[in-house]
Amino acid sequence: MTTENLSAEVEGILDEIEEEDVDFLRLQFTDILGTPKNVSIPADQAAKAFAEGIYFDGSSINGFVRIQESDMRLEPDPDTFAVLPWRNSEEVTSARLICDVIDTSTGDPFPGDPRRVLQDAIDRAADLGYTVNAGPEPEFFLFEEDEEGRATTITHDEGGYFDLAPKDLAQDVRGDIIYGLEEMGFEVEASHHEVAKGQHEIDFKYDDALTTADNIVTFRTVVRAIAAQHDLHATFMPKPIARINGSGMHTHLSLFTEDGENAFHDDDDEFNLSETAKQFLAGILEHAPALAAVCNPTVNSYKRLVPGYEAPVYVAWSDVNRSALVRKPAARVPAASRIELRSPDPSCNSYLALASMINAGLDGIERDLDCPDPVRENIYEFDEAKREEYGIETLPANLGQAIDELEDDEVICEGLGPHVTEKFVEAKRQEFQEYIVEVSDWELDRYLEKF
């Protein structure tokens, strides 16, 4: 395949493929639920993939299209090229390219592609004169595997928050993960043991929203692959063990103007937040119940979102405590002014979650919503009467309630688009229905002999 019609950037990638002796390219995308999918092609087909795309059967992908509408095309994004920092048992070297999905019947971007949904939200922000930056804090657990290599819920260590070895046995594992991420272009800012036994956090630098969403998908893949090399199972399940802290993915958000100024910063404000930031924050709070369906998309997510385990359930914001849904972190410089949404968990589809956060915040700006006063007291200690006095609502208690809120929220549904909304709601309704008809071990232990 000739490269004469390919861009200089793509030609540079083809050169790197040859220099790194890459054997295979993984062309990656995600389904509506956020599960990574990929098509593997020999590296010598790279030029063809860039020039023509790669065709696949979209009817086999969860939430994409019906069997009679199955032909789809993957278009690799050259900005996402990275050599994977591990080899398989045959010492084969692979590289990754994240792709956009194209509807071959129209030649247009496929509206069911989660990456396209996020790009639409980014374009909406651009129309208002803003670029969007996001920085996630994904948490995960490391569990031992059994003799057959299956995951258990036996934690890898007995460490706690910020513990060191010997309690924190995963320093070497986190180190290998960090080296792997850095090889793929991540700028890792910090890593540490989290509150629960076997729980960890690795923070990487914020970036534009699309790059951040791509990075979250890559992060989960790298963490699981390198943990497996240590005979461990890494899980981003929000609440794998009862009665201990679950795993969240606090997400920092900010808008920048076309001239590179932080639109969220105001030196003269008590909280250093501009009017734009407060309107954006108000939009997040107003749409928080619907956001839960997208940012906390599993029945297990709501086992984390309960009082007493540091997870936010109260729709309020604060500049001094972490019991509120949104926090205003301290900022050393104006460029660092931002808000932190603390409810998302790492089981979410990063593209849909960030798109929904952006659309919620932009709705606040467009409608000039008033931001409530911050709550500086510990909301966990409020009784119901005091929460009513402060006008503090709670997030949905389960996935079924969250989906109800999503369907009632025109802004978030419009941002997702009719195709994604329909398929996402359908899948999550089914998941919740399957959950509520199951009988758990807890119920059997409590009731079987009692009644």
Side-chain angles (χ1 to χ4, degrees):
M1 172 65 64
T2 178
T3 64
E4 60 185 31
N5 294 321
L6 299 177
S7 68
E9 181 182 18
V10 170
E11 289 183 6
I13 292 172
L14 298 180
D15 290 340
E16 188 173 353
I17 289 172
E18 186 173 349
E19 292 167 5
E20 296 286 345
D21 199 20
V22 172
D23 299 292
F24 290 95
L25 288 177
R26 296 185 184 180
L27 305 184
Q28 180 183 303
F29 61 104
T30 65
D31 67 14
I32 282 179
L33 302 183
T35 305
K37 305 290 183 179
N38 78 96
V39 176
S40 184
I41 64 172
D44 61 12
Q45 295 296 303
K48 180 179 179 181
F50 280 115
E52 302 175 7
I54 296 294
Y55 290 78
F56 73 102
D57 178 8
S59 67
S60 299
I61 304 300
N62 197 349
F64 270 29
V65 292
R66 297 170 296 178
I67 190 68
Q68 68 267 30
E69 309 164 325
S70 59
D71 287 340
M72 315 290 286
R73 187 173 76 249
L74 296 177
E75 288 192 352
D77 181 346
D79 290 337
T80 67
F81 176 80
V83 177
L84 298 179
W86 63 85
R87 296 169 180 260
N88 65 15
S89 57
E90 287 79 34
E91 292 297 303
V92 171
T93 299
S94 297
R96 184 283 318 270
L97 281 160
I98 296 176
C99 299
D100 295 309
V101 182
I102 304 300
D103 184 340
T104 58
S105 65
T106 63
D108 296 327
F110 174 48
D113 177 12
R115 202 168 189 256
R116 180 69 250 171
V117 173
L118 176 55
Q119 186 61 64
D120 288 342
I122 293 169
D123 291 345
R124 179 184 174 194
D127 289 342
L128 296 175
Y130 302 115
T131 58
V132 185
N133 284 339
E137 298 177 1
E139 297 169 342
F140 58 94
F141 279 85
L142 291 177
F143 291 125
E144 294 182 4
E145 296 178 340
D146 64 18
E147 294 178 354
E148 283 76 40
R150 294 174 299 195
T152 72
T153 52
I154 302 171
T155 57
H156 178 239
D157 62 32
E158 297 292 311
Y161 195 60
F162 273 39
D163 271 350
L164 302 172
K167 284 190 174 182
D168 177 9
L169 300 179
Q171 287 184 353
D172 291 342
V173 184
R174 290 202 306 271
D176 287 347
I177 292 170
I178 290 169
Y179 292 141
L181 291 169
E182 289 177 339
E183 285 183 39
M184 296 189 72
F186 282 66
E187 184 176 339
V188 176
E189 295 188 323
S191 75
H192 59 85
H193 200 289
E194 259 297 337
V195 173
K197 297 175 182 178
Q199 188 184 33
H200 307 274
E201 180 178 315
I202 298 175
D203 300 329
F204 49 90
K205 188 177 180 180
Y206 75 91
D207 214 317
D208 67 88
L210 185 62
T211 300
T212 294
D214 288 340
N215 283 344
I216 292 170
V217 176
T218 299
F219 177 84
R220 290 188 293 219
T221 301
V222 171
V223 168
R224 300 190 73 168
I226 293 180
Q229 292 180 336
H230 289 262
D231 297 320
L232 297 170
H233 177 76
T235 181
F236 293 92
M237 181 179 178
K239 187 86 166 186
I241 302 177
R243 291 177 290 279
I244 67 172
N245 285 25
S247 291
M249 190 176 72
H250 304 163
T251 302
H252 298 250
L253 299 163
S254 59
L255 299 181
F256 277 71
T257 64
E258 294 174 346
D259 58 4
E261 296 295 320
N262 188 342
F264 275 13
H265 183 78
D266 184 350
D267 277 327
D268 297 325
D269 181 70
E270 177 183 1
F271 310 107
N272 292 133
L273 286 177
S274 68
E275 191 61 30
T276 297
K278 292 178 180 178
Q279 293 167 349
F280 190 96
L281 197 162
I284 292 286
L285 296 179
E286 173 152 318
H287 296 286
L291 287 178
V294 186
C295 297
N296 309 99
T298 71
V299 292
N300 181 256
S301 297
Y302 298 85
K303 301 294 179 72
R304 166 182 170 257
L305 294 176
V306 294
Y309 295 97
E310 298 190 11
V313 294
Y314 301 117
V315 182
W317 77 280
S318 179
D319 62 321
V320 294
N321 74 69
R322 289 169 165 80
S323 63
L325 181 70
V326 178
R327 186 173 75 96
K328 172 26 177 101
R332 295 183 299 275
V333 294
S337 288
R338 63 201 187 278
I339 63 170
E340 175 191 12
L341 180 60
R342 298 174 56 79
S343 56
D345 69 56
S347 71
C348 70
N349 182 326
S350 57
Y351 300 105
L352 300 185
L354 280 172
S356 298
M357 295 178 216
I358 293 167
N359 283 317
L362 295 181
D363 183 57
I365 293 174
E366 291 176 333
R367 292 168 53 203
D368 193 19
L369 293 181
D370 291 328
C371 185
D373 293 332
V375 179
R376 292 182 157 180
E377 301 164 75
N378 186 351
I379 307 174
Y380 294 138
E381 297 177 352
F382 286 11
D383 58 21
E384 185 175 353
K386 192 165 186 178
R387 288 198 300 272
E388 288 184 2
E389 177 188 341
Y390 278 69
I392 298 174
E393 298 181 355
T394 61
L395 292 178
N398 57 55
L399 181 61
Q401 292 180 10
I403 293 299
D404 289 342
E405 294 285 356
L406 174 63
E407 288 191 295
D408 288 341
D409 194 310
E410 294 182 5
V411 170
I412 304 304
C413 286
E414 183 178 345
L416 294 174
H419 180 101
V420 170
T421 298
E422 177 188 350
K423 298 299 183 182
F424 184 85
V425 168
E426 179 184 313
K428 291 302 165 180
R429 287 275 185 221
Q430 180 179 348
E431 179 180 339
F432 187 64
Q433 184 62 35
E434 291 175 358
Y435 169 69
I436 62 176
V437 299
E438 285 296 320
V439 178
S440 68
D441 289 341
W442 182 91
E443 293 167 280
L444 292 174
D445 291 341
R446 192 174 185 92
Y447 303 128
L448 186 61
E449 294 185 0
K450 185 175 181 179
F451 295 106

